[in-house]
Amino acid sequence: MTDSRVIAVESIEKYFPPALSGWRALLQPVAKPTERALSGVSFSVGAGEAVALIGANGAGKSTLLRILATLIIPTRGRATLSGFDVERDGARARKQFGYHTGGDEGFYTRLSARENLAFFAAMNNITGSRARERIARISAWMGLDENLDRQVRTFSTGMTHRLGLARAMLHEPGILLLDEPTRSLDPLAASEFRRLLKVEIVGREGTTLLFASHALREVEEIADRVVLLDEGRVLACETPHGLFSLTGTRTLDEAIGRLVRQSVPAESLQ
């Protein structure tokens, strides 16, 4: 692949059917999609870069990540992961990324962490000695090696998040997609999770990271660039300091507020 863009999002639009109640809800599957979630979103992420999706609730962050994770398809537009189209070549696109959210991790809680990781490794065609080696390496990396044989139901929220990230990294993906990864974590656990992402996963492993977050401190600590979404539109795609220069502000909070109020378009989208 000669294209330097590891993640490429090109004019993505997404519409959903309206949310209906009562007997009208029966018609929802066939209702015309009129509720706009994304409107012509375009940006790219380079190899080893960490980019944050920021914006208010309903801005389209999770919808965009779900499109990239091949969970839903766009209404219009195109997105590629390492050159593979997420809609037309979903099977190969899925091999390129790990996907992790800060919500329900979907583990089998009466199984041990090791048994869960072995199961999900097998789902990625990783078995035998390779699976054992990969589980041992990544669990040590995530600080889970001493707890691998505990049932997942005994884990704290922070440990479960680490296990979720370990699962996402089992197949050594070049791309990591995270949706509010530190949601529900206490401040100490969140700080350690951010360090793990920035220093180990992006810094040491060279993984390309795209994550959505409401925590501006998290964004400032991890992100090389930020993509500001507002009502499904890209308002800016810049470095944090670039946003400060663009808006004449000193903090990310002030810059976002000014961009949203003025609806300033991105100067350039790479």
Side-chain angles (χ1 to χ4, degrees):
M1 186 183 72
T2 59
D3 196 334
S4 63
R5 303 175 301 169
V6 175
I7 302 174
V9 177
E10 302 171 0
S11 302
I12 287 289
E13 296 182 12
K14 182 60 181 179
Y15 289 81
F16 291 101
L20 303 174
S21 60
W23 66 268
R24 294 181 179 85
L26 296 174
L27 301 177
Q28 186 172 0
V30 295
K32 184 177 180 180
T34 57
E35 300 294 320
R36 183 183 67 187
L38 296 170
S39 179
V41 171
S42 296
F43 67 92
S44 63
V45 184
E49 189 177 18
V51 173
L53 297 172
I54 59 177
N57 288 331
K61 305 183 298 297
S62 294
T63 297
L64 180 57
L65 286 174
R66 290 172 67 196
I67 288 173
L68 293 174
T70 72
L71 297 176
I72 58 176
I73 61 174
T75 303
R76 281 182 287 276
R78 181 172 182 262
T80 60
L81 300 176
S82 298
F84 300 109
D85 191 293
V86 299
E87 182 179 1
R88 297 175 179 82
D89 202 357
R92 285 195 286 182
R94 281 188 287 275
K95 294 180 180 179
Q96 312 306 312
F97 70 86
Y99 179 60
H100 170 63
T101 76
D104 180 14
E105 307 298 346
F107 290 111
Y108 298 95
T109 58
R110 291 185 179 273
L111 297 181
S112 69
R114 187 189 307 276
E115 289 167 331
N116 270 278
L117 291 178
F119 171 77
F120 289 110
M123 295 290 285
N124 283 287
N125 297 315
I126 303 171
T127 58
S129 60
R130 184 185 171 212
R132 291 190 293 273
E133 291 168 4
R134 186 63 183 160
I135 290 170
R137 179 172 182 264
I138 201 167
S139 62
W141 191 25
M142 300 292 175
L144 292 168
D145 47 332
E146 295 183 357
N147 296 286
L148 273 178
D149 294 311
R150 285 175 52 188
Q151 288 184 332
V152 172
R153 64 177 177 169
T154 69
F155 277 19
S156 67
T157 302
M159 290 175 63
T160 305
H161 275 21
R162 284 176 175 269
L163 186 60
L165 187 56
R167 178 179 60 185
M169 297 292 291
L170 272 174
H171 59 299
E172 301 180 272
I175 300 168
L176 195 57
L177 307 174
L178 305 181
D179 194 356
E180 296 188 51
T182 59
R183 180 174 54 194
S184 302
L185 290 183
D186 64 71
L188 184 61
S191 177
E192 177 60 20
F193 198 84
R194 291 193 294 266
R195 186 205 65 80
L196 182 68
L197 286 175
K198 184 66 175 179
V199 177
E200 301 290 342
I201 294 175
V202 176
R204 183 174 299 179
E205 294 292 303
T207 304
T208 299
L209 173 63
L210 179 65
F211 69 103
S213 179
H214 287 293
L216 297 186
R217 179 180 177 183
E218 180 169 283
V219 172
E220 291 177 333
E221 287 185 15
I222 299 173
D224 301 309
R225 285 189 299 139
V226 297
V227 176
L228 174 58
L229 294 176
D230 181 56
E231 297 183 349
R233 300 171 297 135
V234 175
L235 296 189
C237 182
E238 262 291 0
T239 65
H241 288 290
L243 289 182
F244 302 156
S245 299
L246 182 64
T247 58
T249 57
R250 295 184 178 181
T251 69
L252 196 54
D253 188 34
E254 292 174 341
I256 293 169
R258 183 163 297 182
L259 285 166
V260 171
R261 287 194 300 272
Q262 297 178 355
S263 295
V264 177
E267 291 292 329
S268 61
L269 301 178
Q270 300 179 353

PDB file of all heavy atoms in Angstrom, residues 2 32 36 42 47 53 96 102 107 109 119 139-141 148 154 160 162 167-168 185 187 189 212 218 227 250:
ATOM      1  N   THR A   2       0.706   2.124  -0.987  1.00  0.00           N
ATOM      2  CA  THR A   2       1.498   3.334  -1.084  1.00  0.00           C
ATOM      3  C   THR A   2       0.842   4.502  -0.376  1.00  0.00           C
ATOM      4  O   THR A   2       1.496   5.488  -0.065  1.00  0.00           O
ATOM      5  CB  THR A   2       1.711   3.704  -2.569  1.00  0.00           C
ATOM      6  OG1 THR A   2       0.427   3.889  -3.199  1.00  0.00           O
ATOM      7  CG2 THR A   2       2.462   2.590  -3.291  1.00  0.00           C
ATOM      8  N   LYS A  32     -38.209   5.429   6.300  1.00  0.00           N
ATOM      9  CA  LYS A  32     -37.150   6.100   5.556  1.00  0.00           C
ATOM     10  C   LYS A  32     -36.143   6.707   6.520  1.00  0.00           C
ATOM     11  O   LYS A  32     -36.526   7.386   7.481  1.00  0.00           O
ATOM     12  CB  LYS A  32     -37.754   7.192   4.674  1.00  0.00           C
ATOM     13  CG  LYS A  32     -36.731   7.886   3.781  1.00  0.00           C
ATOM     14  CD  LYS A  32     -37.398   8.906   2.878  1.00  0.00           C
ATOM     15  CE  LYS A  32     -36.381   9.600   1.976  1.00  0.00           C
ATOM     16  NZ  LYS A  32     -37.027  10.606   1.088  1.00  0.00           N
ATOM     17  N   ARG A  36     -30.227  12.482  10.663  1.00  0.00           N
ATOM     18  CA  ARG A  36     -28.815  12.574  10.265  1.00  0.00           C
ATOM     19  C   ARG A  36     -27.901  12.407  11.474  1.00  0.00           C
ATOM     20  O   ARG A  36     -28.040  13.083  12.483  1.00  0.00           O
ATOM     21  CB  ARG A  36     -28.537  13.930   9.624  1.00  0.00           C
ATOM     22  CG  ARG A  36     -27.105  14.082   9.104  1.00  0.00           C
ATOM     23  CD  ARG A  36     -26.880  15.460   8.549  1.00  0.00           C
ATOM     24  NE  ARG A  36     -26.939  16.473   9.613  1.00  0.00           N
ATOM     25  CZ  ARG A  36     -26.914  17.785   9.395  1.00  0.00           C
ATOM     26  NH1 ARG A  36     -26.876  18.234   8.161  1.00  0.00           N
ATOM     27  NH2 ARG A  36     -26.959  18.634  10.414  1.00  0.00           N
ATOM     28  N   SER A  42     -14.905  13.864   6.656  1.00  0.00           N
ATOM     29  CA  SER A  42     -13.672  13.465   5.972  1.00  0.00           C
ATOM     30  C   SER A  42     -12.460  13.820   6.833  1.00  0.00           C
ATOM     31  O   SER A  42     -12.379  14.933   7.364  1.00  0.00           O
ATOM     32  CB  SER A  42     -13.529  14.180   4.626  1.00  0.00           C
ATOM     33  OG  SER A  42     -14.546  13.827   3.725  1.00  0.00           O
ATOM     34  N   ALA A  47       0.171   6.573  10.034  1.00  0.00           N
ATOM     35  CA  ALA A  47       0.727   5.446  10.788  1.00  0.00           C
ATOM     36  C   ALA A  47       1.318   5.923  12.104  1.00  0.00           C
ATOM     37  O   ALA A  47       2.075   6.893  12.154  1.00  0.00           O
ATOM     38  CB  ALA A  47       1.792   4.751   9.949  1.00  0.00           C
ATOM     39  N   LEU A  53     -11.455  11.859  18.622  1.00  0.00           N
ATOM     40  CA  LEU A  53     -12.749  12.376  18.176  1.00  0.00           C
ATOM     41  C   LEU A  53     -13.400  13.048  19.382  1.00  0.00           C
ATOM     42  O   LEU A  53     -13.610  12.406  20.411  1.00  0.00           O
ATOM     43  CB  LEU A  53     -13.644  11.245  17.679  1.00  0.00           C
ATOM     44  CG  LEU A  53     -13.169  10.458  16.461  1.00  0.00           C
ATOM     45  CD1 LEU A  53     -14.092   9.256  16.226  1.00  0.00           C
ATOM     46  CD2 LEU A  53     -13.122  11.336  15.225  1.00  0.00           C
ATOM     47  N   GLN A  96      -7.480  -5.667  10.487  1.00  0.00           N
ATOM     48  CA  GLN A  96      -6.543  -4.563  10.665  1.00  0.00           C
ATOM     49  C   GLN A  96      -6.684  -3.866  12.016  1.00  0.00           C
ATOM     50  O   GLN A  96      -5.785  -3.131  12.417  1.00  0.00           O
ATOM     51  CB  GLN A  96      -6.732  -3.519   9.547  1.00  0.00           C
ATOM     52  CG  GLN A  96      -6.787  -4.070   8.149  1.00  0.00           C
ATOM     53  CD  GLN A  96      -5.593  -4.926   7.800  1.00  0.00           C
ATOM     54  OE1 GLN A  96      -4.448  -4.526   8.039  1.00  0.00           O
ATOM     55  NE2 GLN A  96      -5.841  -6.102   7.230  1.00  0.00           N
ATOM     56  N   GLY A 102     -15.625   1.594  26.514  1.00  0.00           N
ATOM     57  CA  GLY A 102     -15.620   1.704  27.964  1.00  0.00           C
ATOM     58  C   GLY A 102     -16.899   1.192  28.589  1.00  0.00           C
ATOM     59  O   GLY A 102     -17.141   1.404  29.777  1.00  0.00           O
ATOM     60  N   PHE A 107     -17.701 -10.114  28.308  1.00  0.00           N
ATOM     61  CA  PHE A 107     -16.929 -11.286  28.709  1.00  0.00           C
ATOM     62  C   PHE A 107     -17.831 -12.340  29.348  1.00  0.00           C
ATOM     63  O   PHE A 107     -18.925 -12.037  29.834  1.00  0.00           O
ATOM     64  CB  PHE A 107     -15.826 -10.881  29.701  1.00  0.00           C
ATOM     65  CG  PHE A 107     -14.723 -10.086  29.080  1.00  0.00           C
ATOM     66  CD1 PHE A 107     -14.548  -8.750  29.397  1.00  0.00           C
ATOM     67  CD2 PHE A 107     -13.854 -10.674  28.180  1.00  0.00           C
ATOM     68  CE1 PHE A 107     -13.530  -8.004  28.827  1.00  0.00           C
ATOM     69  CE2 PHE A 107     -12.830  -9.941  27.597  1.00  0.00           C
ATOM     70  CZ  PHE A 107     -12.663  -8.608  27.921  1.00  0.00           C
ATOM     71  N   THR A 109     -18.288 -14.025  32.420  1.00  0.00           N
ATOM     72  CA  THR A 109     -17.776 -13.625  33.728  1.00  0.00           C
ATOM     73  C   THR A 109     -17.463 -14.797  34.655  1.00  0.00           C
ATOM     74  O   THR A 109     -16.709 -14.632  35.615  1.00  0.00           O
ATOM     75  CB  THR A 109     -18.773 -12.684  34.420  1.00  0.00           C
ATOM     76  OG1 THR A 109     -20.049 -13.338  34.552  1.00  0.00           O
ATOM     77  CG2 THR A 109     -18.945 -11.400  33.612  1.00  0.00           C
ATOM     78  N   PHE A 119     -10.490 -17.966  24.322  1.00  0.00           N
ATOM     79  CA  PHE A 119     -11.670 -18.061  23.463  1.00  0.00           C
ATOM     80  C   PHE A 119     -11.625 -17.005  22.360  1.00  0.00           C
ATOM     81  O   PHE A 119     -11.822 -17.314  21.178  1.00  0.00           O
ATOM     82  CB  PHE A 119     -12.941 -17.899  24.295  1.00  0.00           C
ATOM     83  CG  PHE A 119     -14.192 -17.767  23.476  1.00  0.00           C
ATOM     84  CD1 PHE A 119     -14.774 -18.874  22.887  1.00  0.00           C
ATOM     85  CD2 PHE A 119     -14.780 -16.522  23.276  1.00  0.00           C
ATOM     86  CE1 PHE A 119     -15.931 -18.758  22.112  1.00  0.00           C
ATOM     87  CE2 PHE A 119     -15.931 -16.395  22.504  1.00  0.00           C
ATOM     88  CZ  PHE A 119     -16.501 -17.510  21.920  1.00  0.00           C
ATOM     89  N   SER A 139      -0.864 -10.061  28.604  1.00  0.00           N
ATOM     90  CA  SER A 139      -1.344  -9.951  29.979  1.00  0.00           C
ATOM     91  C   SER A 139      -0.278  -9.341  30.880  1.00  0.00           C
ATOM     92  O   SER A 139      -0.589  -8.550  31.778  1.00  0.00           O
ATOM     93  CB  SER A 139      -1.779 -11.315  30.512  1.00  0.00           C
ATOM     94  OG  SER A 139      -0.689 -12.228  30.543  1.00  0.00           O
ATOM     95  N   ALA A 140       0.989  -9.678  30.629  1.00  0.00           N
ATOM     96  CA  ALA A 140       2.073  -9.049  31.383  1.00  0.00           C
ATOM     97  C   ALA A 140       2.158  -7.567  31.052  1.00  0.00           C
ATOM     98  O   ALA A 140       2.366  -6.722  31.927  1.00  0.00           O
ATOM     99  CB  ALA A 140       3.394  -9.751  31.064  1.00  0.00           C
ATOM    100  N   TRP A 141       1.983  -7.257  29.799  1.00  0.00           N
ATOM    101  CA  TRP A 141       2.010  -5.883  29.310  1.00  0.00           C
ATOM    102  C   TRP A 141       0.900  -5.053  29.963  1.00  0.00           C
ATOM    103  O   TRP A 141       1.095  -3.902  30.327  1.00  0.00           O
ATOM    104  CB  TRP A 141       1.837  -5.943  27.799  1.00  0.00           C
ATOM    105  CG  TRP A 141       2.095  -4.681  27.065  1.00  0.00           C
ATOM    106  CD1 TRP A 141       2.883  -3.637  27.437  1.00  0.00           C
ATOM    107  CD2 TRP A 141       1.578  -4.351  25.777  1.00  0.00           C
ATOM    108  NE1 TRP A 141       2.881  -2.665  26.472  1.00  0.00           N
ATOM    109  CE2 TRP A 141       2.091  -3.083  25.438  1.00  0.00           C
ATOM    110  CE3 TRP A 141       0.738  -4.995  24.879  1.00  0.00           C
ATOM    111  CZ2 TRP A 141       1.774  -2.443  24.248  1.00  0.00           C
ATOM    112  CZ3 TRP A 141       0.444  -4.369  23.689  1.00  0.00           C
ATOM    113  CH2 TRP A 141       0.953  -3.108  23.377  1.00  0.00           C
ATOM    114  N   LEU A 148      -4.698 -13.811  35.804  1.00  0.00           N
ATOM    115  CA  LEU A 148      -5.250 -14.489  34.638  1.00  0.00           C
ATOM    116  C   LEU A 148      -6.187 -15.643  34.988  1.00  0.00           C
ATOM    117  O   LEU A 148      -7.110 -15.937  34.230  1.00  0.00           O
ATOM    118  CB  LEU A 148      -4.118 -15.014  33.751  1.00  0.00           C
ATOM    119  CG  LEU A 148      -3.546 -14.049  32.715  1.00  0.00           C
ATOM    120  CD1 LEU A 148      -2.414 -14.711  31.957  1.00  0.00           C
ATOM    121  CD2 LEU A 148      -4.624 -13.565  31.757  1.00  0.00           C
ATOM    122  N   THR A 154     -14.872 -11.319  39.333  1.00  0.00           N
ATOM    123  CA  THR A 154     -14.188 -10.790  40.516  1.00  0.00           C
ATOM    124  C   THR A 154     -13.326  -9.582  40.195  1.00  0.00           C
ATOM    125  O   THR A 154     -12.730  -8.993  41.100  1.00  0.00           O
ATOM    126  CB  THR A 154     -13.301 -11.872  41.157  1.00  0.00           C
ATOM    127  OG1 THR A 154     -12.192 -12.172  40.290  1.00  0.00           O
ATOM    128  CG2 THR A 154     -14.099 -13.144  41.439  1.00  0.00           C
ATOM    129  N   THR A 160     -11.195  -4.921  34.327  1.00  0.00           N
ATOM    130  CA  THR A 160     -12.008  -5.366  33.196  1.00  0.00           C
ATOM    131  C   THR A 160     -11.688  -4.542  31.959  1.00  0.00           C
ATOM    132  O   THR A 160     -11.640  -5.065  30.836  1.00  0.00           O
ATOM    133  CB  THR A 160     -13.506  -5.252  33.530  1.00  0.00           C
ATOM    134  OG1 THR A 160     -13.780  -5.972  34.719  1.00  0.00           O
ATOM    135  CG2 THR A 160     -14.355  -5.805  32.392  1.00  0.00           C
ATOM    136  N   ARG A 162      -8.780  -3.202  31.307  1.00  0.00           N
ATOM    137  CA  ARG A 162      -7.496  -3.702  30.824  1.00  0.00           C
ATOM    138  C   ARG A 162      -7.673  -5.018  30.060  1.00  0.00           C
ATOM    139  O   ARG A 162      -7.017  -5.247  29.037  1.00  0.00           O
ATOM    140  CB  ARG A 162      -6.538  -3.927  31.999  1.00  0.00           C
ATOM    141  CG  ARG A 162      -5.945  -2.644  32.564  1.00  0.00           C
ATOM    142  CD  ARG A 162      -5.091  -2.941  33.782  1.00  0.00           C
ATOM    143  NE  ARG A 162      -4.424  -1.746  34.248  1.00  0.00           N
ATOM    144  CZ  ARG A 162      -3.221  -1.363  33.849  1.00  0.00           C
ATOM    145  NH1 ARG A 162      -2.549  -2.094  32.984  1.00  0.00           N
ATOM    146  NH2 ARG A 162      -2.684  -0.255  34.311  1.00  0.00           N
ATOM    147  N   ARG A 167      -7.916  -8.002  24.950  1.00  0.00           N
ATOM    148  CA  ARG A 167      -8.652  -8.736  23.919  1.00  0.00           C
ATOM    149  C   ARG A 167      -8.543  -8.035  22.566  1.00  0.00           C
ATOM    150  O   ARG A 167      -8.352  -8.687  21.533  1.00  0.00           O
ATOM    151  CB  ARG A 167     -10.126  -8.856  24.319  1.00  0.00           C
ATOM    152  CG  ARG A 167     -10.991  -9.556  23.279  1.00  0.00           C
ATOM    153  CD  ARG A 167     -12.431  -9.669  23.728  1.00  0.00           C
ATOM    154  NE  ARG A 167     -13.037  -8.361  23.966  1.00  0.00           N
ATOM    155  CZ  ARG A 167     -14.255  -8.182  24.465  1.00  0.00           C
ATOM    156  NH1 ARG A 167     -14.987  -9.232  24.802  1.00  0.00           N
ATOM    157  NH2 ARG A 167     -14.729  -6.978  24.642  1.00  0.00           N
ATOM    158  N   ALA A 168      -8.651  -6.706  22.568  1.00  0.00           N
ATOM    159  CA  ALA A 168      -8.575  -5.960  21.315  1.00  0.00           C
ATOM    160  C   ALA A 168      -7.201  -6.061  20.667  1.00  0.00           C
ATOM    161  O   ALA A 168      -7.077  -5.933  19.449  1.00  0.00           O
ATOM    162  CB  ALA A 168      -8.934  -4.497  21.566  1.00  0.00           C
ATOM    163  N   LEU A 185     -13.983   4.764  34.879  1.00  0.00           N
ATOM    164  CA  LEU A 185     -12.772   4.489  35.640  1.00  0.00           C
ATOM    165  C   LEU A 185     -12.542   5.585  36.677  1.00  0.00           C
ATOM    166  O   LEU A 185     -12.838   6.759  36.435  1.00  0.00           O
ATOM    167  CB  LEU A 185     -11.558   4.415  34.713  1.00  0.00           C
ATOM    168  CG  LEU A 185     -11.439   3.222  33.770  1.00  0.00           C
ATOM    169  CD1 LEU A 185     -10.134   3.305  33.002  1.00  0.00           C
ATOM    170  CD2 LEU A 185     -11.511   1.919  34.535  1.00  0.00           C
ATOM    171  N   PRO A 187     -10.104   8.173  38.873  1.00  0.00           N
ATOM    172  CA  PRO A 187      -9.017   9.014  38.340  1.00  0.00           C
ATOM    173  C   PRO A 187      -7.670   8.310  38.252  1.00  0.00           C
ATOM    174  O   PRO A 187      -6.943   8.491  37.268  1.00  0.00           O
ATOM    175  CB  PRO A 187      -8.979  10.186  39.331  1.00  0.00           C
ATOM    176  CG  PRO A 187     -10.376  10.276  39.850  1.00  0.00           C
ATOM    177  CD  PRO A 187     -10.851   8.854  39.941  1.00  0.00           C
ATOM    178  N   ALA A 189      -7.045   4.995  37.991  1.00  0.00           N
ATOM    179  CA  ALA A 189      -7.085   3.974  36.945  1.00  0.00           C
ATOM    180  C   ALA A 189      -7.097   4.617  35.560  1.00  0.00           C
ATOM    181  O   ALA A 189      -6.463   4.119  34.625  1.00  0.00           O
ATOM    182  CB  ALA A 189      -8.307   3.089  37.124  1.00  0.00           C
ATOM    183  N   ALA A 212     -12.542   8.125  20.804  1.00  0.00           N
ATOM    184  CA  ALA A 212     -13.524   9.145  21.145  1.00  0.00           C
ATOM    185  C   ALA A 212     -13.475   9.386  22.640  1.00  0.00           C
ATOM    186  O   ALA A 212     -13.353   8.441  23.421  1.00  0.00           O
ATOM    187  CB  ALA A 212     -14.927   8.702  20.735  1.00  0.00           C
ATOM    188  N   GLU A 218      -7.628  13.880  28.934  1.00  0.00           N
ATOM    189  CA  GLU A 218      -7.240  12.659  28.232  1.00  0.00           C
ATOM    190  C   GLU A 218      -6.816  12.961  26.802  1.00  0.00           C
ATOM    191  O   GLU A 218      -5.805  12.455  26.308  1.00  0.00           O
ATOM    192  CB  GLU A 218      -8.424  11.700  28.247  1.00  0.00           C
ATOM    193  CG  GLU A 218      -8.217  10.382  27.565  1.00  0.00           C
ATOM    194  CD  GLU A 218      -9.367   9.444  27.885  1.00  0.00           C
ATOM    195  OE1 GLU A 218      -9.380   8.895  29.001  1.00  0.00           O
ATOM    196  OE2 GLU A 218     -10.263   9.305  27.030  1.00  0.00           O
ATOM    197  N   VAL A 227     -10.168  15.674  16.031  1.00  0.00           N
ATOM    198  CA  VAL A 227     -11.225  15.907  15.052  1.00  0.00           C
ATOM    199  C   VAL A 227     -12.451  16.330  15.843  1.00  0.00           C
ATOM    200  O   VAL A 227     -12.989  15.543  16.624  1.00  0.00           O
ATOM    201  CB  VAL A 227     -11.524  14.642  14.222  1.00  0.00           C
ATOM    202  CG1 VAL A 227     -12.708  14.884  13.284  1.00  0.00           C
ATOM    203  CG2 VAL A 227     -10.294  14.212  13.433  1.00  0.00           C
ATOM    204  N   ARG A 250      -6.441  29.610  24.829  1.00  0.00           N
ATOM    205  CA  ARG A 250      -5.322  28.978  25.520  1.00  0.00           C
ATOM    206  C   ARG A 250      -5.627  27.580  26.034  1.00  0.00           C
ATOM    207  O   ARG A 250      -4.703  26.883  26.450  1.00  0.00           O
ATOM    208  CB  ARG A 250      -4.878  29.860  26.695  1.00  0.00           C
ATOM    209  CG  ARG A 250      -4.318  31.207  26.268  1.00  0.00           C
ATOM    210  CD  ARG A 250      -3.816  31.973  27.475  1.00  0.00           C
ATOM    211  NE  ARG A 250      -3.228  33.254  27.089  1.00  0.00           N
ATOM    212  CZ  ARG A 250      -2.686  34.119  27.948  1.00  0.00           C
ATOM    213  NH1 ARG A 250      -2.673  33.831  29.252  1.00  0.00           N
ATOM    214  NH2 ARG A 250      -2.174  35.246  27.515  1.00  0.00           N
TER     215      ARG A 250
END
